[in-house]
Amino acid sequence: MKILKKVDEILAIAQRQGTIKDFTFYTLDNEYANHYPHVHICIKNDGKTKGTPLKNGSNLLSLGSIRLRPDEKYTLENLEFETVINPDILTSKNKKIFIQWLLEENKRFKVKNCFKCVSDYDDSNSKYKDRIKYQVYLGELQK
């Protein structure tokens, strides 16, 4: 067991959202307030693939992140990335995989994966862009 000496050594906690193919999706705590809600696209660190290690010290690399929409209308044309670390995520093949996963029902929570990601992101980040719009989507605020 590692005992931390300072509380600020814990930079972020990752919430695993799910997997498809070789990709695992995570939302993080303590994201920047100038970001939109997003989900990180991660793979296991094989030492060869370009990516950024997650702040939680796991063996995962973030290849980039998908900006989550407050309407569940994902298409190849409107899928937006918050960050792109590895340009391989931009292929049509990978975009189709990401859209499929976002629109799948999360079996445990009986909502689409994209909805659960926004919900977890909102729970873990008190400030982010267009928060009111996303809280309307979550049903926490009325239009």
Side-chain angles (χ1 to χ4, degrees), residues 3 8 15 28 41 51 68 71 85 97 100 104 130 137:
I3 297 175
D8 61 359
Q15 297 89 32
L28 301 177
I41 306 159
L68 296 166
D71 62 8
I85 299 161
I97 291 169
Q100 176 188 348
E104 278 180 358
D130 287 345
Y137 165 66

Side-chain angles (χ1 to χ4, degrees), residues 59-70:
N59 70 335
L60 295 170
L61 295 177
S62 175
L63 304 179
S65 59
I66 298 169
R67 184 180 296 179
L68 296 166
R69 298 179 58 88

Side-chain angles (χ1 to χ4, degrees), residues 5 9 11 22 30 34 39 48 56 62 77 83 92 96 108 119 121 124-125:
K5 294 180 181 170
E9 287 180 295
L11 300 174
D22 292 331
N30 304 318
N34 64 342
V39 63
K48 301 172 191 171
N56 68 356
S62 175
E77 293 76 32
T83 58
S92 291
K96 287 177 186 176
R108 184 175 185 190
S119 179
Y121 191 95
S124 299
N125 295 279

Side-chain angles (χ1 to χ4, degrees), residues 136-137 141-143:
V136 168
Y137 165 66
L141 296 175
Q142 300 295 318
K143 282 186 177 182

Side-chain angles (χ1 to χ4, degrees), residues 12-114:
I13 301 296
Q15 297 89 32
R16 184 176 177 273
Q17 298 296 331
T19 61
I20 188 170
K21 307 277 184 195
D22 292 331
F23 302 106
T24 304
F25 300 90
Y26 285 86
T27 53
L28 301 177
D29 293 347
N30 304 318
E31 292 278 17
Y32 297 107
N34 64 342
H35 282 239
Y36 288 92
H38 59 276
V39 63
H40 289 266
I41 306 159
C42 300
I43 62 167
K44 289 184 181 173
N45 188 352
D46 62 5
K48 301 172 191 171
T49 304
K50 179 182 176 184
T52 300
L54 293 185
K55 295 176 186 176
N56 68 356
S58 70
N59 70 335
L60 295 170
L61 295 177
S62 175
L63 304 179
S65 59
I66 298 169
R67 184 180 296 179
L68 296 166
R69 298 179 58 88
D71 62 8
E72 299 181 3
K73 295 179 181 175
Y74 295 93
T75 66
L76 287 175
E77 293 76 32
N78 72 10
L79 186 68
E80 293 181 71
F81 293 87
E82 189 75 10
T83 58
V84 175
I85 299 161
N86 187 319
D88 292 345
I89 64 175
L90 301 174
T91 66
S92 291
K93 177 184 174 187
N94 284 335
K95 286 181 180 182
K96 287 177 186 176
I97 291 169
F98 304 151
I99 291 169
Q100 176 188 348
W101 181 82
L102 286 164
L103 296 176
E104 278 180 358
E105 182 180 277
N106 181 296
K107 291 172 179 44
R108 184 175 185 190
F109 294 98
K110 306 296 185 215
V111 295
K112 290 181 181 179
N113 285 323
C114 56

